[in-house]
Amino acid sequence: MVIVHTSTAEVIRERSGEKSTVGFVPTMGNLHQGHLSLLREALKHDPVVYFSIFVNPKQFGPSEDFNKYPRTLEDDLSLIRTVEKEFPSSKIVVYAPASPEEVYPPGYNQRVDVTGLSERLEGANRPGHFEGVATVVYRLFEIVKPREAFFGLKDYQQYLVIRQMALDLSLPLKVTGMPIIRDHDGLALSSRNQYLNAEERVEALTLSRTLKKVKEALDGKKMNLPLAQKIIQETLKDPRWNYLELLDGHSLSRDLSESGLVSLLGVFQLRTTRLLDNIQMELK
Ligand code: AMP
């Protein structure tokens, strides 16, 4: 069963009647297989899954693509219905707020800021972005009250920020990160890929290919950190890169000996489209 609500009051009413635990997948819509992988995973864990589709104005900067961000609710619902058929006894509640005021009623004053983790990488490039993300996810958690919420590791820093927020605020839920779903040629799926023209779509492969090349330098017995750093330095001479950094996978600190989990995170920009990708490695 798929139920669609466009008002927060309806979602709160629906939620208060749930007899079983609830999983949650927050998105901005324009769904692709990356989003659907989160939905499938959530349905494996909980018989009832709330799935939000909301382009959150608070996480866009003044010169960013809030107005042009693709809004495709009818297509999104069709895709959700195809997944629902795979889980016949499930209940999916789609929360697609009719307006930002449904999420932030007039006078709403709350702001959630996860300091530290939010200030680097995407946070440095997009001031206020993670405050907008943490604020909306906190608000959605408050409405949906999930047992478990699912996020893509595609937005790795976002996943870490939400995990930290849940920890700091002792939220009674589990934050789960799910693997990046890629196109056949390695490009991570993203709603923003459709901004690319044919030529840029080819150029975009530089991103995943470079991540792979650095990972290969660090993989297995080789673990050639100087070679990895050299590839990164050479790569950054190309001005299309916003950043490419090898960091601790939990704290995003530069000290790679902290936890043994290392993340390579990069943003490659084609005209105004910033493409994000990352890869995780265990340093032995
Ligand atoms: P968005 O609609 O872009 O805000 O994304 C909603 C959720 O889907 C976030 O948790 C993203 O990290 C996740 N997501 C987006 N693209 C992918 C992908 N290619 N693979 C896995 N998860 C993804």
Side-chain angles (χ1 to χ4, degrees):
M1 175 183 15
V2 177
I3 296 170
V4 183
H5 288 307
T6 56
S7 100
T8 299
E10 284 166 4
V11 174
I12 291 173
R13 202 173 312 122
E14 183 85 42
R15 176 66 185 91
S16 66
E18 300 300 357
K19 302 272 184 294
S20 67
T21 57
V22 166
F24 181 41
V25 180
T27 78
M28 298 205 297
N30 192 240
L31 303 184
H32 51 63
Q33 289 302 324
H35 300 111
L36 299 185
S37 72
L38 304 182
L39 176 58
R40 286 194 179 93
E41 188 64 17
L43 287 164
K44 285 182 201 159
H45 292 235
D46 288 291
V48 178
V49 171
Y50 281 50
F51 189 102
S52 64
I53 297 180
F54 176 54
V55 185
N56 170 38
K58 287 191 194 288
Q59 71 188 71
F60 288 78
S63 60
E64 293 181 357
D65 57 343
F66 174 70
N67 287 321
K68 119 168 174 195
Y69 198 87
R71 289 156 172 90
T72 52
L73 184 59
E74 285 313 311
D75 291 348
D76 293 350
L77 293 176
S78 304
L79 285 172
I80 289 171
R81 290 196 176 99
T82 62
V83 174
E84 184 243 351
K85 290 200 178 77
E86 300 165 25
F87 296 83
S89 56
S90 66
K91 172 179 173 185
I92 302 172
V93 178
V94 178
Y95 173 32
S99 69
E101 290 73 32
E102 283 294 335
V103 178
Y104 309 115
Y108 187 81
N109 259 334
Q110 202 58 242
R111 266 203 310 225
V112 183
D113 191 7
V114 180
T115 58
L117 268 178
S118 287
E119 284 148 26
R120 319 223 24 232
L121 305 174
E122 281 307 277
N125 278 270
R126 304 179 66 186
H129 171 66
F130 284 123
E131 188 179 287
V133 169
T135 299
V136 76
V137 172
Y138 178 77
R139 176 75 183 127
L140 295 170
F141 281 175
E142 213 174 36
I143 295 164
V144 173
K145 301 192 195 326
R147 183 193 65 78
E148 185 168 5
F150 296 82
F151 293 85
L153 298 182
K154 156 82 168 46
D155 300 283
Y156 191 72
Q157 191 179 5
Q158 166 175 286
Y159 160 72
L160 292 180
V161 166
I162 300 301
R163 210 174 65 167
Q164 188 65 42
M165 172 183 81
L167 192 70
D168 290 348
L169 301 177
S170 307
L171 301 181
L173 52 86
K174 185 171 173 209
V175 175
T176 297
M178 294 297 298
I180 301 176
I181 305 296
R182 297 176 180 280
D183 228 331
H184 61 96
D185 54 6
L187 180 68
L189 295 185
S190 164
S191 305
R192 290 188 168 106
N193 290 353
Q194 63 196 269
Y195 298 156
L196 305 174
N197 63 32
E199 234 168 77
E200 291 162 345
R201 178 64 185 72
V202 175
E203 280 181 78
L205 292 176
T206 305
L207 177 54
S208 55
R209 286 186 182 154
T210 305
L211 297 186
K212 222 171 134 206
K213 202 157 102 188
V214 177
K215 186 176 191 305
E216 275 163 15
L218 292 169
D219 253 351
K221 289 200 188 85
K222 286 180 284 174
M223 234 183 27
N224 194 338
L225 196 56
L227 174 62
Q229 297 289 15
K230 191 160 167 262
I231 299 171
I232 292 172
Q233 274 165 19
E234 285 299 312
T235 298
L236 287 172
K237 288 182 184 160
D238 178 343
R240 292 173 299 179
W241 286 87
N242 284 188
Y243 60 79
L244 178 64
E245 293 203 44
L246 201 52
L247 301 169
D248 178 78
H250 293 292
S251 65
L252 298 185
S253 107
R254 290 218 160 82
D255 179 0
L256 299 186
S257 62
E258 260 186 15
S259 71
L261 179 70
V262 170
S263 299
L264 176 67
L265 301 108
V267 170
F268 189 70
Q269 182 164 347
L270 292 166
R271 272 182 307 138
T272 52
T273 306
R274 300 176 68 253
L275 301 170
L276 279 74
D277 202 348
N278 67 83
I279 204 161
Q280 316 301 317
M281 292 152 273
E282 293 283 346
L283 279 198
K284 291 178 196 95

